[in-house]
Amino acid sequence: MPRLENWLKRLGLPVDPALVPLMCLQTAFFTPWLPPGTCLRMSRLTVWLMAIDNVLDAPGAPGSAGPDWPLARVRDWHRILDGHDAGSDDPVARALVEITGDLHRYGRPELVAVWRESMHRTLTGMRREHEATRTQATGGGAPRLTDYLRHGAWSIGVEQQVTALWALLDEPGLPRRLPALRGALRQAAVAIRLLNDLRGHRREQREGKPDVLGVGLTGQEVYERADAALGACRLALAPLTAAGYGSAVALERVVLWHARMYHRFDPVRPGGAATAHLPGGTARTPSVPQPRETPPMGTEQEVLDAIASGGQYDTTKLAELFDRLEPVDTALLIGTWRGGGFEDSSENAALLAKMRWYGKRFTDADHVEPLLCRAEDGTVHSYTEMGLASLREVVHRGKQSTAMVYDQLPVIDHFRRLTDDVLLCVMDKKGDPEDFYFHLTRVPDAGVRA
């Protein structure tokens, strides 16, 4: 929070510093497993989206060149997104230069391109809203419903937050899941725009802005459309969240946060929280933001969710699940895997944390690097002081499966398949009465270089 507030003040962005805690809290809620540096980059983007909304809402500024002055700034922001920094002293432009640089420095290029596309769309959507407000102020008509929803979904900011999160996630195979993820994201953005308009209708009406209630829908109709869009979003995400993919879990958490928030207050004017519920007959949040009110998930899905979120999980339940899961063969294991634990209190967990353990690399049956670790600069290297390992067929707890046998240590790691890309594992150390459970998630071939 102090770092974000200092950044906001240094650049002089037109955002109330009192909103900084809210911006930081929502980022931490979206992806509680991400490190603070990544959360800071996400919070900067959220603050920037609020800043440009405030700029385009302003009626004018001292020395501005007529009513088109905000649109000239929008053109500059488009150019910055395309990599053309003209050295403007506009604080919003300077902030965008830093944000774009961060995404290019820390994000995956193919996913940064998706984020950049969404950013161009949000600027287009905000420009259309600005133009519609001017048209309405001069006696013109409201926009058509289809046009309003298309541009309104772009400008609500959800797509930009989520695509930035995707770009910063270290998730194997994420680009392959983009069609399903982007379809769900589109439904989420429409739903959140509708709920935003319901909560902020009176304020926007006073400010002369068009919203969905001004283009022909009743409050109840808007609520029902939002509920249907959230349901469609959840249906599209269900297979991915069940498999524990952080990209899908993050999107569902974004939906959860925004939908619950708009049921309680208007974040643009948080001090003027309304006490009335949104239309719909009850105080409930629409269907997607209540995933824990659905029938309980199976243990497999609970474990996948714990892996995706970096959370802990009960060892007794892990043992029961391990015994039910199918064994793995050598072919499935070949490649690089990122690891993690389900607890942080044991001696084994403490040792791996001290080593900055990253995961394992299986080259073939006779060459395994069991201890890939991170250096201080973030690069991954193979720690070989404890030796290498081999893959062998081993019977453990009644099932024969490929296991990893250390060459120099009395340790065997046993594996069971959760999905083709996620394994539940147990370390069997001679003389240690307690099994240590951990997980491995496949890394793309080009994802790690030691």
Side-chain angles (χ1 to χ4, degrees):
M1 285 167 52
R3 293 169 68 188
L4 181 62
E5 188 169 356
N6 289 338
W7 181 78
L8 178 64
K9 291 178 178 178
R10 173 171 62 83
L11 290 166
L13 293 175
V15 176
D16 185 351
L19 291 174
V20 164
L22 180 63
M23 300 302 100
C24 292
L25 181 61
Q26 71 171 25
T27 302
F29 181 86
F30 295 164
T31 44
W33 63 89
L34 290 183
T38 304
C39 289
L40 175 63
R41 285 186 277 277
M42 282 302 308
S43 296
R44 284 180 174 181
L45 174 61
T46 304
V47 166
W48 187 85
L49 290 167
M50 297 189 73
I52 62 171
D53 199 29
N54 291 337
V55 167
L56 294 177
D57 285 349
S64 62
D68 290 329
W69 71 275
L71 304 185
R73 296 175 74 179
V74 170
R75 288 191 289 271
D76 289 340
W77 302 336
H78 277 296
R79 286 193 286 269
I80 290 170
L81 288 171
D82 289 332
H84 306 296
D85 176 13
S88 169
D89 59 359
D90 170 15
V92 181
R94 302 315 310 158
L96 182 57
V97 169
E98 293 187 22
I99 291 167
T100 303
D102 274 352
L103 264 293
H104 281 282
R105 190 174 302 111
Y106 298 103
R108 296 165 62 175
E110 69 275 29
L111 297 174
V112 171
V114 175
W115 169 77
R116 190 188 306 111
E117 176 189 343
S118 77
M119 290 290 287
H120 280 302
R121 280 205 300 263
T122 199
L123 293 177
T124 299
M126 287 186 167
R127 176 174 59 81
R128 292 294 185 93
E129 285 187 359
H130 179 78
E131 293 170 347
T133 300
R134 286 180 53 191
T135 299
Q136 189 165 286
T138 56
R144 293 185 304 171
L145 177 61
T146 53
D147 290 338
Y148 175 80
L149 285 179
R150 180 171 68 255
H151 299 134
W154 291 349
S155 65
I156 195 61
V158 171
E159 287 192 17
Q160 296 69 45
Q161 289 177 312
V162 172
T163 53
L165 281 170
W166 291 344
L168 294 168
L169 289 177
D170 180 15
E171 178 179 300
L174 197 161
R176 297 197 302 270
R177 291 183 283 280
L178 278 180
L181 287 168
R182 294 183 78 172
L185 176 56
R186 178 64 183 173
Q187 294 288 349
V190 170
I192 299 309
R193 163 51 65 186
L194 292 169
L195 293 176
N196 168 278
D197 284 8
L198 279 176
R199 174 55 68 208
H201 172 62
R202 292 180 182 176
R203 170 181 54 78
E204 294 192 337
Q205 191 176 45
R206 289 194 302 270
E207 296 172 357
K209 299 178 185 176
D211 66 11
V212 73
L213 293 167
V215 295
L217 295 183
T218 66
Q220 186 64 39
E221 289 171 335
V222 174
Y223 184 91
E224 291 171 355
R225 284 194 177 215
D227 200 37
L230 289 172
C233 173
R234 184 181 190 186
L235 185 63
L237 288 177
L240 302 178
T241 55
Y245 290 118
S247 53
V249 173
L251 173 52
E252 187 169 54
R253 283 176 167 268
V254 169
V255 170
L256 172 68
W257 174 277
H258 283 91
R260 286 182 173 171
M261 176 178 66
Y262 285 125
H263 265 261
R264 287 161 174 79
F265 65 91
D266 177 4
V268 178
R269 304 287 186 271
T275 56
H277 299 307
L278 295 185
T282 71
R284 72 178 181 88
T285 309
S287 55
V288 168
Q290 299 181 55
R292 299 311 176 198
E293 294 181 11
T294 60
M297 298 188 298
T299 304
E300 292 92 336
Q301 295 178 350
E302 289 180 352
V303 171
L304 287 166
D305 188 51
I307 293 171
S309 64
Q312 300 191 5
Y313 201 80
D314 180 74
T315 299
T316 301
K317 291 183 179 180
L318 288 173
E320 294 171 355
L321 175 59
F322 185 89
D323 289 340
R324 292 202 313 268
L325 293 176
E326 295 299 317
V328 302
D329 58 27
T330 300
L332 178 70
L333 289 171
I334 299 304
T336 301
W337 298 73
R338 183 166 185 172
F342 293 99
E343 49 88 9
D344 56 12
S345 59
S346 69
E347 181 180 342
N348 289 316
L351 176 61
L352 292 175
K354 183 178 180 180
M355 297 173 64
R356 299 174 181 266
W357 181 59
Y358 176 86
K360 301 178 183 291
R361 179 182 290 119
F362 305 93
T363 302
D364 55 41
D366 295 317
H367 183 88
V368 178
E369 296 165 272
L371 297 171
L372 297 181
C373 300
R374 283 199 182 276
E376 289 286 348
D377 62 0
T379 58
V380 176
H381 66 281
S382 180
Y383 182 83
T384 59
E385 291 186 23
M386 295 183 181
L388 299 177
S390 306
L391 294 176
R392 297 290 184 264
E393 290 293 315
V394 176
V395 176
H396 182 64
R397 282 151 62 166
K399 289 184 181 179
Q400 180 171 315
S401 176
T402 300
M404 192 200 77
V405 181
Y406 277 81
D407 293 343
Q408 301 176 20
L409 298 175
V411 175
I412 300 176
D413 287 344
H414 303 277
F415 310 114
R416 296 292 185 268
R417 179 189 174 279
L418 274 166
T419 74
D420 284 345
D421 294 322
V422 184
L423 305 178
L424 177 60
C425 319
V426 61
M427 183 175 72
D428 181 15
K429 181 190 293 187
K430 186 176 181 179
D432 190 341
E434 296 292 332
D435 289 331
F436 176 71
Y437 288 88
F438 62 99
H439 52 84
L440 294 172
T441 300
R442 189 186 304 276
V443 176
D445 291 342
V448 174
R449 287 289 179 265

